[in-house]
Structures are given as structure tokens and as C-alpha cells.
Amino acid sequence: MTVRPAGQKAPVIAVDGPSGVGKGDVSQFLASSLGWCIMDSGALYRILAYKALEIGVRTDDVSRLCELAADLEVSFAIDGDALQVIYEGADIGDAIRRENVGVAASQLAVWPEVRRRVVRAQRRQRRSPGLVADGRDMGTEVFPDADLKLFLEASVEARANRRFQQLKALGFSVSLGSLLQSISRRDEQDRTRKHSPLIAAQDAIVINTTRMGREAVRSRVLEIVRDKALDRLAQNKPVARASQATHALPSPH
Ligand code: C5P
């Protein structure tokens, strides 16, 4: 492993983009390949939404939400193809993936005071040997000094279809039509909000995955990581070739 000089912050790869674009899969693939830590930044907004729904706090009750967000401590672990989201000692990954939690997360994420507290918790995830951070504003707001910024795009139809397959695999029954509507609504909310809108950082590398298969996307991101020489910071192991990766992107449509 290459050790960075004392005092230098751990490296970060920011993987941003809209809902259902495959950021999670790319992030897990990169984190496993490099042996780095991973953060699903949306999970922090989702946990907050989950807690708020559970205890009946409205998504516009900013002061109560700020209280709930003040001590948000989460950890992540890759388990096969799944990402465990450990909160208060339990894996709540499946519970926070429900569509109503996603919609509430998007509603409460519009408040700058709430975002400030969540961003603090997100920055605490930066640690050695490096962090792969998956989200909407990782490259623009949370880690503007990221070593590499990727921004993934795909058509709304392709994204709704991927989310549909993911939820089906988890045993949730949802309709494709309602997912399409919900993702479009969420896109609109995320792209047009005043604070930290979903937008590619100026120095981000944009990859449109609509017509790319999983191998192609893996190969492309690994190529970029190698170009940036970030594979030299891999933890104790060579970076996997794309075809050896254990974490798959959803199939192309
Ligand atoms: O990525 P995911 O769909 O899990 O995120 C849920 C919601 O949290 C998003 O729709 C978005 O409104 C919000 N979010 C955000 N900034 C992030 C990650 C998620 O505002 N970095």
C-alpha cells in the first residue's frame, strides 16, 4: 500500500449522479477493487427520513430534523453483492430502500440546515486508505477536493427499470410505472433545489451508461482510476480486472 504523508487527507473518489443510475454498483466495485471504504451518502438522508417517518416528524419540521441529524453515525460494509448499512447496531439497508423512504429523504434533503448536519456526518466517513463516496453532491459540496470525480448519467426509463429489478430481487412488489413517476419527480426535485442541486462538478468525468453493459462500465471506471494512478493507493492488493469483479452493475436495457 502507498502511504500518504502524515497530515494529508485520505483520498476520495466521488461517484455522483441521479437515482438508479448504477452509482452504488460502480462504487462497490471500486471500493472492493481498491480495498477502500465506501459511503452511500443517500443512506444518511434515508436513515433520517426513516427515523422521521417512524416517530411522526414531518419532512418540513426543520428543527426536529436537525435534532435527529445531529448524531448520525453510520457504517458501511460490503457483503457479497449487498451493501450493509449499519445504524444503531443493525443492518437497516433493506428498510431504508423502500420508495416512501426515498421520497421523504428527497423532501427533507431540500433544507440547508438539515443538509449541513448530514454533510458533517458524511465528511466523517473519510478515512484511510481511501473513500469511495456515492451520491449527488460528493464532487461539488461534500468533497470538492476529491482525487477523482465521476458523474454517471442514464435515461430515466433505463434507471426506473434498474431500480425495478433491484426492488424485485429484494422481494418488494412495485409497479414499473409508479417507479418511473417517482424517479422523474425525484430527479426534478434534486436537480432544481436551491441548495446543492444535482449537477456534475466542472472537473467531473461524465459517463452515460444508458447503452453500456456492466463490463463496459467497469472497464471504463478502472481505466480512469488507472489514468489517475489511484490504483497505486490500493490497499494490499492489485486492482481487479473488470471481469474479475465480484460486484455487478445492473444489466443494461
Ligand atoms: O441516492 P438515494 O436515492 O438513496 O438518495 C435518497 C435521496 O437523498 C435523494 O433523492 C436525494 O434527494 C437525497 N440525497 C442528497 N444528496 C446526496 C444523496 C442523496 O440530497 N448526496
Side-chain angles (χ1 to χ4, degrees), residues 16-20 23 39-46 96-97 101-110 115 118-119 122 134-138 142 163 186-187 189-190 193 195-196 198:
D16 288 310
S19 271
K23 295 173 306 224
M39 170 175 69
D40 167 4
S41 66
L44 282 88
Y45 290 99
R46 283 175 181 266
I96 61 168
R97 300 271 158 252
V101 178
V103 171
S106 190
Q107 287 167 353
L108 60 79
V110 300
R115 295 193 72 84
V118 174
V119 165
Q122 290 169 342
D134 153 354
R136 305 275 191 300
D137 57 349
M138 298 296 101
V142 183
R163 190 47 67 90
R186 200 123 53 93
D187 270 8
Q189 188 146 32
D190 290 346
R193 73 173 166 231
H195 301 279
S196 306
L198 171 65

Side-chain angles (χ1 to χ4, degrees), residues 218-232:
R218 289 177 184 171
S219 298
R220 181 75 191 111
V221 296
L222 275 186
E223 203 178 86
I224 296 168
V225 161
R226 290 198 175 110
D227 277 356
K228 291 259 175 189
L230 287 168
D231 53 332
R232 296 216 195 100

Side-chain angles (χ1 to χ4, degrees), residues 125-203:
Q125 300 279 329
R126 184 177 197 163
R127 52 183 80 113
S128 282
L131 176 70
V132 180
D134 153 354
R136 305 275 191 300
D137 57 349
M138 298 296 101
T140 49
E141 293 289 329
V142 183
F143 303 112
D145 60 338
D147 299 71
L148 170 63
K149 299 176 186 179
L150 299 173
F151 192 90
L152 305 187
E153 296 232 287
S155 71
V156 70
E157 291 77 15
R159 291 185 284 122
N161 218 333
R162 289 171 186 175
R163 190 47 67 90
F164 179 69
Q165 304 298 343
Q166 275 173 358
L167 291 171
K168 211 163 78 174
L170 289 172
F172 293 123
S173 95
V174 293
S175 86
L176 185 58
S178 72
L179 269 180
L180 220 130
Q181 264 189 357
S182 157
I183 288 185
S184 304
R185 204 169 44 236
R186 200 123 53 93
D187 270 8
E188 175 70 11
Q189 188 146 32
D190 290 346
R191 288 186 204 270
T192 57
R193 73 173 166 231
K194 203 163 148 214
H195 301 279
S196 306
L198 171 65
I199 185 172
Q202 287 210 327
D203 49 349

